[in-house]
Structure formats: C-alpha cells, structure tokens
Amino acid sequence: MNPAIWLAVMVIGGVGAVTRFLVDRAVSRRVGRPFPFGTLAVNLSGALLLGFLGGLALSHEQALLMGTAFVGAYTTFSTWMLETHRLAEERQLWPAAANIVVSVALGMGAAFCGQWLAGLL
C-alpha cells in the first residue's frame, strides 16, 4: 500500500469517528433515557452501511477505505459492551440483556438489508 492510502485511511477513519460522536450525541439528546440508544443507532446504521458496501463490487482499496476506515471507526463494539456492562452493574439486567439481543438481532437484519439494497443496484 502506498502512503496516500494510509493517509486516506487516517482521514476517513477520523471522519467516521467524528460522525459516530455526532450521531450518538444527537440521538441521546433527543431520547434522553439511560438506555444507550445513541450507540444502538450508530451500530445499526453502521451494520446497514457495511452490508450495503459488502454487497457492492468494491476494489480492495475501496473496501479498505469505506468498510474498514469509515465504518470501522464509525461503529463501536467497545462502547456497546461498556454501556451493557454499566447497565448490568446498575442492576438494570433487562435493559442490559435487551441491549445485547436487540443489537445483535437488528444488526444482523440491518446488514442483510444493506446487502439486499446493494443487490438492487
């Protein structure tokens, strides 16, 4: 890989991380509940986008830049697990379990939906 690709990964990854912050904050402010709806919205939209990108015939560089750099920085497994752990520590066991089940089930559905949408093109 050449230095331009590495630079693009850094820039696009930075854009993905900032976008995650903005979406999470906007959703969390609008909902205003202790359940991590912001992270859920980010991860579901990221799964949809990654499924869509996976359904396209992208070159290796395009997949790296869009799938790994942007979507990888946009979505967040670690925050999802930290928020689930926080819910469990606060004895909010049903919301903690719901966060896991809903995130996985809807995330899989979003990824399949993204692939389906890409197939329509």
Side-chain angles (χ1 to χ4, degrees), residues 36-75:
F37 286 106
T39 301
L40 180 64
V42 163
N43 286 342
L44 293 180
S45 60
L48 178 74
L49 180 57
L50 193 56
F52 181 78
L53 294 171
L56 298 176
L58 299 179
S59 70
H60 175 71
E61 287 82 14
Q62 291 170 326
L64 173 71
L65 295 175
M66 296 308 298
T68 303
F70 182 80
V71 179
Y74 175 68
T75 59

Side-chain angles (χ1 to χ4, degrees), residues 20-47:
R20 172 184 66 208
F21 172 76
L22 295 173
V23 170
D24 186 347
R25 190 171 79 177
V27 170
S28 296
R29 281 185 176 172
R30 174 160 266 159
V31 175
R33 300 204 175 151
F35 189 84
F37 286 106
T39 301
L40 180 64
V42 163
N43 286 342
L44 293 180
S45 60

